[in-house]
Amino acid sequence: MTMAATETPEPKTETASAATPAAKPEDAPPPRRASWGRRLMRDRAAVAALGTLAIICLAALFAPLLATHDPYVNTRSVMTPPAWQTGGDIAYLLGTDGQGRDIFSRLLYGARLTLLIGLISVGLGGFVGSMIGLLSAFYPKIDAWLMRFMDMLLSFPAILLGLALVAVMGQGAVPVIIALAISSVPDCARIARGIASGVMKMEFIEAGRAVGLSDAALFRRYLLRNCISSIMIFISLRFGQVILIGAALSFLGLGARPPLAELGMMASQGRDFLLFAPHIAVIPSVAIFVIVLAANVAGDALRDVLDPRLQT
Amino acid sequence: SAQTVTILRQQDSNKYDPPAITALSGSEVLFMMGDTLVALNEDMQTIEPLLAKSWDVSEDGKTYTFHIKEGVKFCDGKPMTAEDIAYSINRWISPELKSGVAWRAGDVKEVVALDDYTLKYELNAPYSELLYQLAQSFGTVVDKENVEALGADFGVTGFNGTGPFCWESWDPRNEMVLTKHEGYNWGPPMYGEGAAKVDKVIWKIVPEESTRTVALLTGQGDVSYYVPYIGLGKLRSMPNIEVVRSDAAFWTNYIGFKIDKPGVSDPAVREAINLAVNREAMAEDMFFSEVDPAYSYVSKGALDYNAEVDAHLIKYDPDAAVKVLEDAGWMLNADGVREKDGVTLEPVIYTFTGEWAKTSEAVQADLLKVGINMQIQPYDATVIWGKLATQEFDMYTMGFPYVSTGDALNLYFRSANIPSPNRMNWDDPETDKLLADAAAATTDEKRASDYGDVLLKVQKAAVWLPIYEKPMQVAYVKNMAPIKPHNIYGAGLYKGLQLAFTD
Amino acid sequence: MSAASVPSGKAPVLEVEGLTKHFPMKGGLFGRTTGAVQAVTDVSFSVAPGETLAIVGESGCGKSTTGRALLRLLEPDSGAVRLDGEDIIALSPSRLQAARRQMQMVFQDPFGSLNPRMNVRETLMEPILLHGVATGAAAEKRVSELLKTVGLSDYHADRFPHEFSGGQRQRICIARALSTRPRLIVCDEPVSALDVSVQAQIVNLLQDLQKQFGMAYVFISHDLAVVRHIAKRVAVMYLGRVVELADATEIFARPHHPYTRALIAAAPKPVPGAVLGREEVKGDAPSALRPPSGCAFHPRCPMAQDRCRTERPELRRVGGAMAACHFAEAVADMGAQVEAARPDALLRRLDVLAKARAEAAQPAA
Amino acid sequence: MTAKASSPAVDPDAPLLEVKDLKVHFHTETGVFRAVDGVSFSVRRGATLGIVGESGCGKSVTSLGIMRLIAQPPGRYAGGEVKFEGRDILKISEREMRGLRGGRMGMIFQEPMTSLNPVYTIGDQIIESLRAHGVADRKAARKRAIEMLDLVKLPSPETRVDDFPHQLSGGQRQRAMIALALVNDPELLIADEPTTALDVTVQAQILSLMRDLRERTGAAIVLITHDLGVVAETCDDVVVMYAGQVVEKAPVAELFSGPQHPYTLGLMAAVPRLDAQTDRLETIPGSVPPPYLQLPGCRFASRCPLATDHCRAAPPPLREIGPGRSVACWRAPIEEIAA
Amino acid sequence: MISTIIDRLLLSIPVLLGVLLFGFLLLQLVPGDPARVVAGPSAAPDVVEALRVQMGLDQPILVQFWAYMERMFTGDLGRSMISNKEVTAELAAAIGPTVELMLACMIWSIPLGIAMGTMAAVKRGSIVDRAIMAISVAGVSLPIFFVGLLAVQYLGVLWLNLPFIGRGGPLWSYDGLRHMILPALSLGAILVGPVARMTRSSVLEVLKLDHVRTARAKGLSERSVILRHGLRNALIPVVTLIGLQAGYLLGGAVVTETIFSWPGIGRLVVGAILSSDFTVAQGAILVFALGFIAINLIVDVLYSLLDPRVRK
Ligand SMILES: Nc1ncnc2c1ncn2[C@@H]1O[C@H](COP(=O)(O)OP(=O)(O)OP(=O)(O)O)[C@@H](O)[C@H]1O
Ligand SMILES: Nc1ncnc2c1ncn2[C@@H]1O[C@H](COP(=O)(O)OP(=O)(O)OP(=O)(O)O)[C@@H](O)[C@H]1O
Ligand SMILES: [Mg+2]
Ligand SMILES: [Mg+2]
Ligand code: NI
């Protein structure tokens, strides 16, 4: 074995900086682009948003433990301002509402219901919508039909749909969830279709077909696997909007039935006190705002990190 | 211009056809656009002449003869005659119109114009309430030609009345504009029989409660009796706003029980509910002491009130409530709800949205403390009436204006009125008999005693949970002349004849 | 019309007859058909076992469509494709799936033709398991063999496509195509996206594999130099039709169709000054939506006559070739390019390199 | 300070463009990426310089670098000069640079598909360029645009001038692109792979068009391509790039008859030839070192059969080995090794 | 252009049919008997029965559907179940204010959003960018009712004393204009954020494209590069977004109209549904769907104006 160069440069002297004794340069491990988690964590706003979301979710989850009062029990101290304002009472951190119920405790329970409504409807609508979108990208034959159908759904604003469903089913969280889910369907379908038809144009789909894969396997292993993360990101972005619409429905007097606390409903009830005890309406509104803001900021950051192509 | 008064109110009416519209939102405008045979004084007791300058009642109390004023004209200038009144009353009670308030006209045998200025009103049975009912908006005199010409659009695109104001335009859900009826001089004596003092009245719809308050504050409205209780204190403190109040107004808000539904069929439960709900606290905290907590079914000041009832009022005592329940065998189950013989105390209440929903929530919270888990089902004012005619619920909320004890009792406790407005399903022959006797009574004493007996009976049975009695409060900007609130059917401004600006 | 068949006596592995595929152009409401892209019209050829047939032509002339129709990745409108005598077009979906074992494809875009979410092992395993070539440990072994065959190592198996360079990816694609030991591989521009040096590696690899396993290639390309290097026979397509079909040596020495001639002339040669005296083709290729009447090439053809405008020339035998030109003989007589040898200096230096490499490789071997 | 005298009497033989040790780095998440790392060459008026090299070797970045069109960030000029008529245009104001761009320096891009704005007609886009460089009159500008389209042999330019890019075929679009680049009579034309996206027949048309235009206007052309054939046919001088650096520079005939750098050699040998059938293609084993490896020596060393330890340790400078010829290899000239 | 419009109109037909079907089903699904709603609670059973026959409710469902379709196509939307008014008349009265509100809201919010988005894209990474994006994401996260309530509270009461009750008259009158300000502000507030975000990302996307590089190579000033070559192309997806946001906007109009007592379709439909006036609800939903279709038609026309590639 001569010392003549082979394809393998021996890492002797100062060439040590050439790093690992890779057999071929192309095999040298590339400097790792920081993992997406790490990159996410570098974005301070995203960290703050994720932290906020986490805290809110935990708070909502453990509402029974954290609540300082029974959210449904009224007291005689009505319209107490938040603790930091004059007239506030430290026992009622965020004050009380028009019925003397502790707003802090109701907020916890309200966030619980609000988040639940958002999650279930976005989950349901996202699932159905993405499936429709994926299918219509996968089977161009049914594409036109499915998309016409989606157009139709799209022409019913969620709030209208909610109103109509409440008319049919009576007030409650269920019709709101259904309305929100249905109205999420066309949006998710549209996005999923966009993503999926991008993937369908890729040659590897054809390669999979050429290998002899069945449609089902092609759909699952090739299309779905390549779209799922983008779709999930979009669905997570949709979450904020769904919560907003849900709150608007509650505000209009649909949604959960009393005494259940729901943030939109709390705001709606509080508007009667707007002039005199603004905190009753403002606190739940701000809570919604914070949740949606955190969801949006976190969703944006997630998208930027995971799939910058997705924009809306 | 300054001669335009903007009245703020909560909701619009579907149309303005007197017998077809039973809601306050219709009546309050109709009172201004039209006139009735007689008027009611703001003391809520005295009947005053309006279209009828006088009337005679026959011995048996079955026939009323009205002598009609001369010179009364419709807005379009056409003279009004007894014929028009007869037409209007007959229209009110005609089966085709299906008016929900036809019964208020009494058991009519015949209403005919004897001549241009004499009207005969003949009943099958004496009806002591008749004049009060004739003062309500349902008997507002309409113009036959106008009715027939507009058909389905009557009260929608126009209305030809004899009232102090005339229909100018209606933008549904936004505003109703009325203009002064020139030459009007047949108003009730209490208002001095003259024409309206402003040129224009705008009834503006503002559904948001706080917005109404703010709108008055910022001068976007001149007068309103739909100010939320929370706003009244604030308005009172404003230098440019006056709030006046009338206690001669009888309006009670109550929650009724369907007494044949499991759970609430047990008088002990109903009693316990009456004990458990802190109405005083509600009146203070939720209504800012603008209302009086109610314990009796009709106000003490109402005609024919039975003082004996005072001994049977159920006041707030949650401990007693628990005791009553436990004595009756209603024990807490694992969920903290009382239960007996497989029946859990989870009564469903049908309630209006808005203020009533809040009331129900407070009641709900109080009841929860004694182990009763009330379920609230709010309905919009337009649908709830249909819902309340069913047997689906256990409890319901209702508020009603009245002038006398009999007014209230006749409405709610006659078995013939099941399922609505007797939504309690109160089916008691003795009550029926007493009520019939009272209606036909020819002396005040007899009537008072009969009504008093009924009142005592139902009060003892705890078929209601009275919540509060609400006075009429009108808030207006100070550059308006002082207003004396009226309370007929809850219409605080009645004919609008006192509306005037001082400058 | 299977005159365009394999010259030798061997039964062809692939026979294509009258293959036609037109894409309807849908527009407006309810997908009114407003026209058709005549992507492939009446294409016939055959390929012998172990042979390479190249399809060349300009962009949009229907090369890929032909290739995909061969494997029935597209449903052709008409025509027959026989693989070892079995008509692929007539197969039921399940039979087709099985038949795919015998025919595989390598695509142009090495970046797009691998599922980015599947690592190399999964990618190679998929056809092996699907077609029951091997299972369990045997399949694993097969994967590592395949990797070695295409010049990759075992440790590559757990990597994902994005961790490879273009050339390496193309090797993986080739390995995937090889995994079922097919009789036929359709290569749709497998080297067009690669740099010349990588291209050379892949071309060599394809040739080596063919020698080793004996499968036939349909090699689609627009690069005449590569085609000349790899193909035994060449089909030239223009606007969806085969205009010339002949042995590679014949085509490059004596093109029979003016289009082939133009194509060869237009290709830039790495010889300084070669440009002189080139005759250019006028204009762009016309739209496949509305192919010109008669000979589709006539608007750009320097030799076009009136006849060409009205009468479409059939593909016919002209000497050793098949050509679709009324004047094929005349074209052939025009001869072709002068061959230019590589300069000496270049050869000498290459020699030095080769020696050095050989030296370096020896001890290792 | 002679900067004021903007137009000194030019020596016709002085290079129009002189790039000296140009360095363009990209600062990315994974670190500094030296896309162009010390590139030098010059172009005379009326001459065509070809730049060849593998994909990613920095050809486009060089050309954009000359036009000062590198997006900053992430790009950054890390050193070197770009002298246009003797003035370092990396130092002039952006405003002045704008006057040069599209005026005295024109550029053609690879993708005729995407390099034209789809929402404006080609006429508009040409007129826009004219107006940016002092033609005030719209009518005159339009006339000139039509002339220009005619010059690049776009059929019926009077009507085509109002076509949108998507209404043209690839070749026609590239013609429009050339018209756009030439409309202000640039003295320097930079063409970044102007024919790569086109079919051979169209490529031949475009290349011949460019030759004609050069002859007519006497402009200097920098032609970037990876196709040695195109270089052979079109260029006077050639610069061969490898991994961000120039490895060889030579007049075209010399380069093809006797390349000196092992990489150039390998490249030449790897090209299959239309005019001679070979059994096997020569290959260059291995591949370009990943940019994140900061190799101390010759960047080609890992693939070079002739590489020595010295090659791996020290970067070879670009040495002049003849008139107009230089090479960056410690072992050149190669024949001497054989000897 | 014309053919684009015609095509689009034809494509709307299936959507419209779907909407009609939905409206029909709504009446079928509501609990309770429409005849009973019309007749009123105290009507005798035989009256209700007669009404059923009169309303055709005793017919088989397909016959009913056919009759319904016939009525719809003759423009007969029936009469309100509650007020017995012609539904068409009700809608006609309400449609003007809603259109007015929509226009007023879009006229300020879309240009502002576009300007903000462009600004942010141009100053990418700077404080300005971050500020604009923060405002936009906050705007996207604000509950519409909260904006409205705040507008009433601060702009209406405390600061500017702007009217916030109903409509003051036609838009061109002084009073009409003043009344329009707050509702238009609140409704527009929900649109600014999405438009700004979309514009920003779209401009950034476009600025990366080859043709922008060409524009720079032409020596254009940065300003015209960004406005002529960046923004102009970037508007294409923004216009699409506006079309998609139309549903959200229509939904927002429902809430805004409620808060500001705006006598438009939104309030009409809320009222109708809450009061089980299903014929009116049906009509209003139809109008909403038509509105959606109309907005998207306009969007398509704009789209083809902006993008010559989709022109026929
Ligand atoms: N799915 C399709 N729908 C409609 N037209 C198509 C489709 N696929 C291909 N075509 C058209 O068919 C013609 C032939 O296309 P094909 O892809 O076979 O060309 P090609 O020779 O492979 O070109 P290239 O060299 O560009 O790959 C083209 O005009 C193309 O636009
Ligand atoms: N904006 C950028 N950010 C980061 N890296 C870049 C950027 N632009 C170019 N590069 C890198 O610089 C290197 C040189 O790119 P360049 O485009 O000049 O290559 P090229 O020689 O033109 O290749 P090709 O033949 O493919 O066009 C490439 O590796 C590329 O990834
Ligand atoms: Mg192809
Ligand atoms: Mg490049
Ligand atoms: Ni070297």
Side-chain angles (χ1 to χ4, degrees), chain A residues 105-134:
Chain A
S105 309
R106 281 179 75 73
L107 211 57
L108 292 175
Y109 280 86
R112 203 184 208 193
L113 188 56
T114 301
L115 289 173
L116 203 67
I117 289 179
L119 277 179
I120 296 180
S121 45
V122 131
L124 274 178
F127 177 76
V128 175
S130 329
M131 273 305 146
I132 290 179
L134 288 172

Side-chain angles (χ1 to χ4, degrees), chain D residues 143-162:
Chain D
K143 201 161 148 265
R144 171 97 179 108
I146 295 173
E147 271 171 35
M148 213 53 224
L149 291 175
D150 195 31
L151 197 68
V152 296
K153 301 195 184 135
L154 193 76
S156 49
E158 298 81 11
T159 53
R160 287 289 149 114
V161 72
D162 292 323

Side-chain angles (χ1 to χ4, degrees), chain C residues 195, chain D residues 24-28 31 33-36 51-64 70-71 73-75 110 192-193 196 224-226 241 243-244 291, chain E residues 213:
Chain C
D195 279 325
Chain D
V24 180
H25 296 178
F26 289 100
H27 293 250
T28 65
F33 180 13
R34 295 153 204 268
V36 172
I51 303 182
V52 287
E54 276 179 74
S55 177
C57 70
K59 305 184 296 289
S60 297
V61 173
T62 305
S63 66
L64 291 175
I70 302 281
Q110 167 173 8
D192 186 359
E193 314 219 18
T196 306
I224 292 165
T225 177
H226 60 253
M241 283 182 71
Chain E
R213 193 181 56 191

Side-chain angles (χ1 to χ4, degrees), chain D residues 126-141:
Chain D
I126 296 174
I127 291 168
E128 195 184 18
S129 178
L130 280 165
R131 288 165 69 90
H133 293 281
V135 180
D137 180 16
R138 243 203 107 80
K139 270 230 180 81

Side-chain angles (χ1 to χ4, degrees), chain A residues 70 72-79 98-99 101 106 170-171 251 253 257-260 265 269 271-277, chain B residues 208-210 213-214 217 230-231 234 278 280-281 284-286 288 357-359 361-366 368-369 376-378:
Chain A
D70 185 326
Y72 306 130
V73 164
N74 53 6
T75 65
R76 302 250 7 219
S77 6
V78 293
M79 294 165 52
Q99 307 239 359
R101 296 174 293 200
R106 281 179 75 73
Q171 189 184 351
F251 182 83
R257 277 193 222 171
L260 277 188
M265 199 182 80
Q269 289 179 341
R271 72 188 142 145
D272 294 342
F273 304 91
L274 198 61
L275 270 188
F276 313 94
Chain B
E208 288 285 302
E209 277 194 5
S210 59
T213 315
V214 177
L217 283 178
I230 188 175
K234 174 97 180 171
N278 190 350
E280 209 159 318
E284 272 172 40
D285 298 343
M286 288 176 55
F288 309 96
K358 272 187 254 177
T359 309
E361 259 193 83
V363 169
Q364 181 184 46
D366 276 346
L368 204 57
K369 292 174 195 156
I376 300 178
Q377 177 64 64

Side-chain angles (χ1 to χ4, degrees), chain A residues 142-163:
Chain A
I142 55 172
D143 181 45
W145 290 106
L146 282 177
M147 285 301 126
R148 278 293 84 70
F149 181 56
M150 292 297 106
D151 278 358
M152 201 194 90
L153 284 187
L154 208 57
S155 59
F156 290 110
I159 289 189
L160 270 195
L161 208 60
L163 282 165

Side-chain angles (χ1 to χ4, degrees), chain C residues 57-60 165 195-201 203-205 207-208 211 222-231 248-249 252 259 262-275 278 280-285 300 337-346 348-350 352-354 356-357 360, chain D residues 53-56 153 169-172 175 199-205 207-209 211 226-230 232-234 252-260 262-287 303-306 325 334-335 337-338:
Chain C
E58 280 181 294
S59 176
S165 69
D195 279 325
V196 269
S197 59
V198 185
Q199 168 179 313
Q201 294 171 0
V203 167
N204 286 345
L205 175 67
Q207 282 183 312
D208 294 347
K211 276 192 203 114
H222 62 255
D223 187 334
L224 293 172
V226 173
V227 163
R228 164 144 213 204
H229 182 78
I230 200 169
T249 41
F252 288 103
Y259 175 66
L263 214 52
I264 295 171
K269 327 247 162 358
V271 179
V275 60
R278 164 185 299 165
E280 264 174 40
V281 192
K282 301 167 282 183
D284 299 332
R300 304 174 75 192
Q337 306 274 306
V338 251
E339 303 215 347
R342 282 182 166 172
D344 279 352
L346 179 64
R348 254 182 287 128
R349 285 166 208 176
L350 281 175
V352 175
L353 279 185
R357 202 170 293 145
Chain D
E54 276 179 74
S55 177
K153 301 195 184 135
S169 73
Q172 290 171 336
R175 286 194 171 121
D199 284 322
V200 272
T201 52
V202 183
Q203 164 170 297
Q205 295 165 6
L207 289 178
S208 100
L209 177 68
R211 275 190 298 270
H226 60 253
D227 188 333
L228 287 172
V230 170
E233 290 187 358
T234 335
V252 68
E254 286 183 47
L255 187 84
F256 280 83
S257 66
Q260 277 296 357
Y263 171 67
T264 323
L265 266 169
L267 207 56
M268 298 262 177
V271 181
R273 292 174 61 112
L274 199 53
D275 45 10
Q277 189 150 20
T278 41
D279 254 6
R280 254 184 102 71
L281 293 172
E282 297 287 341
T283 62
I284 309 175
S287 61
R303 307 172 72 183
C304 179
L306 304 175
R325 288 209 64 171
I334 290 174
E335 286 95 328
I337 306 169

